[in-house]
Amino acid sequence: MSVVPRHERSKDIEIAAAFGAQVRAQRLAKGMTQEALAEAADLHPTFISNVERGYRVPTVPTLIRLSIGLGISPGQLVDGVVDQG
């Protein structure tokens, strides 16, 4: 197992925070509570909270469950998370 350099971890933290903000924005746009999203995605409300705060990064299957719970495509959750420039 290799050690991830500090500068690369900071980028991961930025990405996690941006993804969490996107999940929160989509959830609020749908008028959902964290509990409602958790139920719709079959996840724990604490997990939703941790994702939205950038403390947890979901796996691909969980990303898909979040998108189903929100009624959007997985791409809509990752769109704009990382600058393309």
Side-chain angles (χ1 to χ4, degrees):
M1 178 165 75
S2 64
V3 176
V4 178
R6 180 178 298 263
H7 71 279
E8 290 181 25
R9 284 184 294 188
S10 67
K11 185 64 175 175
D12 289 347
I13 291 168
E14 290 174 28
I15 291 168
F19 179 78
Q22 179 71 343
V23 170
R24 183 175 192 272
Q26 292 288 341
R27 176 179 61 77
L28 293 175
K30 299 286 184 179
M32 297 176 80
T33 64
Q34 289 179 343
E35 291 77 11
L37 174 55
E39 185 174 328
D42 195 27
L43 298 167
H44 196 278
T46 302
F47 180 79
I48 302 297
S49 174
N50 286 334
V51 167
E52 289 186 1
R53 292 183 291 153
Y55 297 163
R56 298 285 306 265
V57 178
T59 62
V60 171
T62 303
L63 172 110
I64 292 169
R65 288 167 57 184
L66 285 168
S67 69
I68 290 168
L70 290 165
I72 60 174
S73 73
Q76 288 176 275
L77 281 178
V78 296
D79 189 35
V81 168
V82 180
D83 286 337
Q84 301 298 318

